[in-house]
Amino acid sequence: QEPSIPAAPTPEPPPSIPDLALSYLRPMNPDRASLLVFENPIFQYGLVFSENAPQMLQGLAAAMNTAGSNCALRIIGHTGPDPVPANTGYRDNHALGLARAEAVFEYLRVHGGVAPDRMSATSSGRDHPPCPMDDPKARLLNKTVTIELLPRI
């Protein structure tokens, strides 16, 4: 009698990414529903939060804390296309974008109670803007961060 070969274990399905269901966050494009953009800018200029930013960030933190620990955030900082003025302390748009992502990271950690091991901050600077650069009103929306929801393994 031949020995039986054990069946390969069934792989576990990847963790699902929750729908945060926040009216002010929308998918950046239909093919990538996990990359979200705010309907309004998060920053007025530099690192000064817009009037509505605290309310939007508190809502995001609450949704993340309700979503459970299987979801993480990548916070991606953005800027407009114009060069950063020399007196700002940022060497370029990439550095300003990173500072914006880090400011949102800290806000979510300190004021929203989101665990720091569930978040990361990065920058795309003026590259890959969430809104078109050819429309002056849309360009203002690029003073923001985008949020990428990631499964946490």
Side-chain angles (χ1 to χ4, degrees), residues 52-104:
N52 297 327
Q55 179 182 355
M56 292 186 290
L57 295 175
Q58 281 297 128
L60 174 59
M64 282 299 294
N65 291 330
T66 302
S69 62
N70 69 332
C71 181
L73 296 178
R74 178 180 295 138
I75 305 162
I76 307 163
H78 299 276
T79 68
D82 300 324
V84 176
N87 64 349
T88 64
Y90 302 103
R91 73 179 180 281
D92 56 23
N93 284 329
H94 190 271
L96 175 57
L98 182 58
R100 286 178 172 170
E102 289 170 343
V104 169

Side-chain angles (χ1 to χ4, degrees), residues 5-6 29-30 32 51 53 55 59 71 76 85 88 92 94 106-107 114 124 133 135 142 144 146:
I5 299 173
N29 67 53
R32 197 163 170 202
E51 183 180 328
Q55 179 182 355
C71 181
I76 307 163
T88 64
D92 56 23
H94 190 271
E106 282 303 305
Y107 188 95
V114 179
S124 76
M133 292 287 199
D135 175 2
N142 290 324
T144 194
T146 50

Side-chain angles (χ1 to χ4, degrees), residues 31-153:
D31 298 332
R32 197 163 170 202
S34 65
L35 186 60
L36 305 172
V37 63
F38 288 91
E39 290 286 337
N40 295 301
I42 293 294
F43 296 93
Q44 291 180 31
Y45 56 88
L47 294 182
V48 177
F49 282 122
S50 66
E51 183 180 328
N52 297 327
Q55 179 182 355
M56 292 186 290
L57 295 175
Q58 281 297 128
L60 174 59
M64 282 299 294
N65 291 330
T66 302
S69 62
N70 69 332
C71 181
L73 296 178
R74 178 180 295 138
I75 305 162
I76 307 163
H78 299 276
T79 68
D82 300 324
V84 176
N87 64 349
T88 64
Y90 302 103
R91 73 179 180 281
D92 56 23
N93 284 329
H94 190 271
L96 175 57
L98 182 58
R100 286 178 172 170
E102 289 170 343
V104 169
F105 179 107
E106 282 303 305
Y107 188 95
L108 293 173
R109 183 184 70 78
V110 172
H111 300 286
V114 179
D117 65 344
R118 295 181 62 204
M119 300 183 289
S120 64
T122 188
S123 175
S124 76
R126 58 190 256 172
D127 302 325
H128 314 292
C131 298
M133 292 287 199
D134 57 354
D135 175 2
K137 286 185 180 177
R139 283 174 54 166
L140 291 175
L141 296 175
N142 290 324
K143 296 178 180 181
T144 194
V145 297
T146 50
I147 303 295
E148 186 172 13
L149 297 174
L150 303 167
R152 189 167 173 225
I153 301 172

